[in-house]
Amino acid sequence: GESVGLHLPTLSVQEGDNSIINCAYSNSASDYFIWYKQESGKGPQFIIDIRSNMDKRQGQRVTVLLNKTVKHLSLQIAATQPGDSAVYFCAENRIQGAQKLVFGQGTRLTINP
Amino acid sequence: NAGVTQTPKFQVLKTGQSMTLQCAQDMNHEYMSWYRQDPGMGLRLIHYSVGAGITDQGEVPNGYNVSRSTTEDFPLRLLSAAPSQTSVYFCASSYNSARAEGGYTFGSGTRLTVV
């Protein structure tokens, strides 16, 4: 089985409820942020991104909120479904003009029926 | 359109052995990178390349070499495998070398065990 994420923070939600996954970033110079979803045995998959000149961005069933004052990023998933079970990572672009995404630790989302 | 293809999917090495992890993309992406993923530590950047002939080190480059002779391929070489290199390795690519707009496309990973 998948050994990644043995020590990850875990969020358990009921099917149909909304999920909120949080991420703190460290570098105030970061200006681009991405959320990824990683299912067991697969590579990370892009969900949604946001630039630092925005506070909120919405996609299909997902919303990303950015609070630059406290360097906090969150991913909201509406009406959580079993297929949303995965590990979710935030990533920040820390170096202006260079492509070096730095990933957070990840949060495991489990859905209770 | 295969995206990012990594081979092998699984590998067991003995300490001191060398090997190459293969990564190929068919999307004409400029940017390619290698990450390792360890329990509780997220993904850490090993090496990256912004185009053919150009490579640079990431956060954890020691013990690994890369080259980028073509746009499509970005192999990762382990020179002398150590147990600390036991990990899951991901290759990722994106179209634009300056920004990761729209995110990276990741391969499915290579699970490496060094005994």
Side-chain angles (χ1 to χ4, degrees):
Chain A
E2 179 63 71
S3 66
V4 171
L6 280 176
H7 308 294
L8 290 179
T10 299
L11 174 66
S12 295
V13 299
Q14 292 297 123
E15 183 177 351
D17 287 352
N18 297 334
S19 302
I20 300 176
I21 300 170
N22 297 304
C23 177
Y25 64 94
S26 58
N27 193 330
S28 58
S30 295
D31 61 354
Y32 180 65
F33 305 88
I34 305 178
W35 279 100
Y36 285 90
K37 173 186 180 182
Q38 186 176 27
E39 297 174 284
S40 182
K42 298 183 179 179
Q45 181 180 17
F46 173 87
I47 301 174
I48 191 168
D49 57 1
I50 189 168
R51 291 179 173 272
S52 60
N53 62 354
M54 303 171 67
D55 297 324
K56 178 180 180 180
R57 192 173 186 203
Q58 289 184 295
Q60 186 177 10
R61 277 203 312 119
V62 295
T63 301
V64 55
L65 299 177
L66 176 62
N67 186 330
K68 294 180 288 294
T69 301
V70 295
K71 298 200 286 285
H72 183 267
L73 196 66
S74 68
L75 176 70
Q76 299 179 359
I77 304 173
T80 309
Q81 303 169 358
D84 294 328
S85 292
V87 176
Y88 290 82
F89 293 95
C90 64
E92 59 183 299
N93 189 338
R94 284 188 179 175
I95 300 178
Q96 193 73 18
Q99 201 170 102
K100 289 187 179 180
L101 280 185
V102 178
F103 286 79
Q105 182 187 31
T107 297
R108 181 180 300 281
L109 178 65
T110 60
I111 313 303
N112 301 318
Chain B
N1 197 345
V4 177
T5 302
Q6 289 185 239
T7 56
K9 293 189 183 300
F10 301 93
Q11 183 70 49
V12 178
L13 288 179
K14 293 182 178 179
T15 298
Q17 285 185 315
S18 63
M19 79 159 294
T20 300
L21 308 185
Q22 302 292 343
C23 176
Q25 52 89 10
D26 60 358
M27 299 171 285
N28 201 31
H29 282 176
E30 287 185 346
Y31 180 88
M32 297 184 75
S33 57
W34 278 101
Y35 284 84
R36 60 177 289 173
Q37 188 173 34
D38 302 298
M41 299 188 72
L43 290 95
R44 292 183 292 167
L45 181 63
I46 304 171
H47 285 285
Y48 67 100
S49 168
V50 299
I54 306 169
T55 64
D56 205 347
Q57 296 181 349
E59 183 184 0
V60 288
N62 293 339
Y64 308 95
N65 274 358
V66 292
S67 60
R68 185 92 178 273
S69 57
T70 67
T71 300
E72 294 78 20
D73 300 298
F74 190 46
L76 177 72
R77 282 182 287 276
L78 280 71
L79 308 174
S80 177
S84 61
Q85 293 179 304
T86 294
S87 188
V88 181
Y89 291 85
F90 287 101
C91 179
S93 73
S94 73
Y95 176 74
N96 189 303
S97 64
R99 299 289 276 175
E101 305 297 333
Y104 294 170
T105 300
F106 279 86
S108 58
T110 295
R111 182 179 296 276
L112 176 69
T113 302
V114 182
V115 297

